[in-house]
Amino acid sequence: MEQLKHECGVAMIRLLKPLDYYERKYGTWAWGFNKLYLMMEKQHNRGQEGAGFASVSLTNKPGTEYMFREKAEGKDAITEIFSRVTEAMKGELLMGHLRYSTTGKSGLTFVHPFLRRNNWRAKNLCLCGNFNMTNIDEVFSFLTSQGQSPRIYGDSYITLELMGHRLDREVERLYAEAKAQGLEGTAVTDYIDSHVEMANVLKTTMSHYDGGYVMCGLTGSGEMFAVRDPWGIRPAFYYRDDEVIAVASERPVLQTTFNIDTADVQELLPGQALIVHKDGKIQTPPLTPPLEGRGGAGSSACSFERIYFSRGSDRNIYRERKRLGEQLTPAIMRAINNDVANTVFSYIPNTAEVAFYGMTDGIRKSLPYGGRLEGADVRIEKVVWKDIKLRTFISDSAERNDLAAHVYDITYGSLRPYEDNLVIIDDSIVRGTTLRESIFKILDRLHPKKIVMVSSSPQIRYPDYYGIDMSRLEELCAFRAAIELIKEQTHPREGLIADVYWKCKNEPLAANHVRAIYAPFTVEEINKKIVEMLRPDGMEAPVELVFQSIEGLHTACPHHPGDWYFTGHYPTPGGIRLVNQAFVRYVENVLSNDFKKLGTNE
């Protein structure tokens, strides 16, 4: 219900035939652009702040443009950029990007792709990606120590400059080779354009980074590439036939766009690159050995992709989300005291719908009479409706909160007042703001006997630093609940916050010290405190929270063990450092007065 502002989406196409082939076969010069447009629309869920595309022509002559880029901001950015496409922009290499900022930086300047120009075709570089780098300070220092002066401090621009620098060195290496062979004039250029080794460029660039990423790019000489982080955090998939090579952030995007089966799509492996050379030949070299993550080498694939971010049309994701819902059956049955006959089951639209199907399947399986209640089915209603996004143009905070409360509405009469329990599932509970300001208030109007609020994911206890907008500890309702529980306790817990603070400050890379904040408490204790904190004044119905367990998460999503949001087990040193720094900032900026009472002497 609380939309997480999250990752980006990438789309790439390399046409393997001459351009007039597609016009003859498909009746339009824009066949490649049409496919790119469809791939981007099918990933619109991954970014609504802006969009951009780039194209490269391999046949345009010197003196004419051969590398094009268009960018736009806003929810209609995809439509806007493709409305600008002209036949002059057609090319064999196409790349698109959908953006959501995870850094707070907005504006057209920060919309991908990023372009680095040069008079040598091979030195022109265009980049986009789904990424967040956790060690950008170190990379910036590396560049400046070499005498470079990046124009903008941000991981996208710094990556462009670092990779561009390495590409320059690769071209200069080839220039020396060509001259040593006695080549002159345009023969030197042709030699360079035909012999660029992008694997060299990528290895010497990406080895500097800590973070989750899928980095994509085009060069003016016709190289195309995509590379995935060695922990396997961010996803990427590709498809190839004799006409096209295509890359996307999600598997079903390729299936729908090219009308292919699941087996036709391959996943880019952790630390692997997909490189398509100017001549159309493809390589998939391992750039970096898969690095150790939560589930072993190269196995920190993001579990939130499965729970929430990716579209549920992927065959495996659909099954996993159903399983996440079904596994909650025992806890739900306990919460309603097995009184299924007097319980209505529903969900928060729209991302929790698949987990809802799994939840109701599990309830049916737990019942006698072949999963029915003496001839009556499990009671299912669409209790909550999501209306259009209301504009919060009112400056007064109280009035703005009142307006936000009306983003959702209810189906009146869907429950028997004071007789029916209401079990309602969502995919995650992050900040709890929407529950407090909207959902609980409107559900209470139906006068349920009890509300059981279910989350198909575990408690979100830690921020993400690999491409999702969850960077502040104090925004997470589970964290706030744990802090309140600590404040309520007497010795020895009163010194816990100070102890964690000093460890985070003095040993930021040793371990995730913030995990100690949760150690004294059970999931149930934190649940009760969350309810207490989020319950609106005047609400009548009792509320119980049911969260997915960590074990249940891994059972449902066995191939995506990346669970740092829930467990604090960050796969990279940068993630550990940033969560400890986040706690230091929280104590110093948010908890400062209370912290002084606990004592801050080291």
Side-chain angles (χ1 to χ4, degrees), residues 504-560:
C504 288
K505 197 173 181 70
N506 297 326
E507 303 173 359
L509 286 172
N512 177 2
H513 304 297
V514 185
R515 297 184 73 233
I517 293 294
Y518 297 96
F521 311 111
T522 65
V523 170
E524 290 71 24
E525 287 176 308
I526 294 175
N527 283 353
K528 290 179 181 178
K529 179 54 68 173
I530 292 173
V531 170
E532 181 182 317
M533 293 166 55
L534 300 184
R535 186 182 179 86
D537 292 339
M539 184 177 180
E540 294 183 354
V543 177
E544 182 172 343
L545 289 179
V546 171
F547 281 93
Q548 184 72 245
S549 67
I550 300 297
E551 296 76 17
L553 170 68
H554 292 309
T555 298
C557 309
H559 304 298
H560 290 74

Side-chain angles (χ1 to χ4, degrees), residues 358-467:
M359 176 183 72
T360 51
D361 284 350
I363 297 296
R364 289 188 185 97
K365 291 175 184 178
S366 70
L367 298 174
Y369 308 107
R372 301 179 73 83
L373 297 167
E374 298 182 0
D377 198 0
V378 173
R379 297 172 61 197
I380 295 171
E381 301 288 353
K382 186 169 183 178
V383 174
V384 175
W385 297 77
K386 187 172 185 180
D387 291 333
I388 60 172
K389 185 175 182 180
L390 300 176
R391 295 182 182 273
T392 54
F393 55 85
I394 300 174
S395 58
D396 181 78
S397 59
E399 292 189 53
R400 187 168 61 246
N401 287 340
D402 182 67
L403 187 64
H406 293 86
V407 171
Y408 290 91
D409 210 337
I410 51 172
T411 303
Y412 291 94
S414 54
L415 273 68
R416 295 176 299 189
Y418 306 108
E419 294 183 32
D420 289 332
N421 301 308
L422 174 61
V423 174
I424 190 159
I425 190 170
D426 197 9
D427 47 54
S428 57
I429 299 172
V430 187
R431 301 172 181 89
T433 307
T434 308
L435 283 178
R436 183 183 65 247
E437 301 297 339
S438 178
I439 297 296
F440 283 161
K441 290 180 179 179
I442 62 173
L443 292 182
D444 201 44
R445 296 176 193 166
L446 298 174
H447 306 295
K449 183 169 61 176
K450 180 181 184 180
I451 297 172
V452 180
M453 188 72 220
V454 182
S455 170
S456 64
S457 72
Q459 290 176 351
I460 297 172
R461 297 182 168 192
Y462 306 92
D464 177 75
Y465 300 106
Y466 305 120

Side-chain angles (χ1 to χ4, degrees), residues 207-228:
S207 61
H208 288 276
Y209 283 110
D210 178 303
Y213 57 82
V214 171
M215 190 69 64
C216 301
L218 310 173
T219 72
S221 60
E223 304 293 306
M224 182 179 99
F225 62 87
V227 58
R228 187 180 182 191

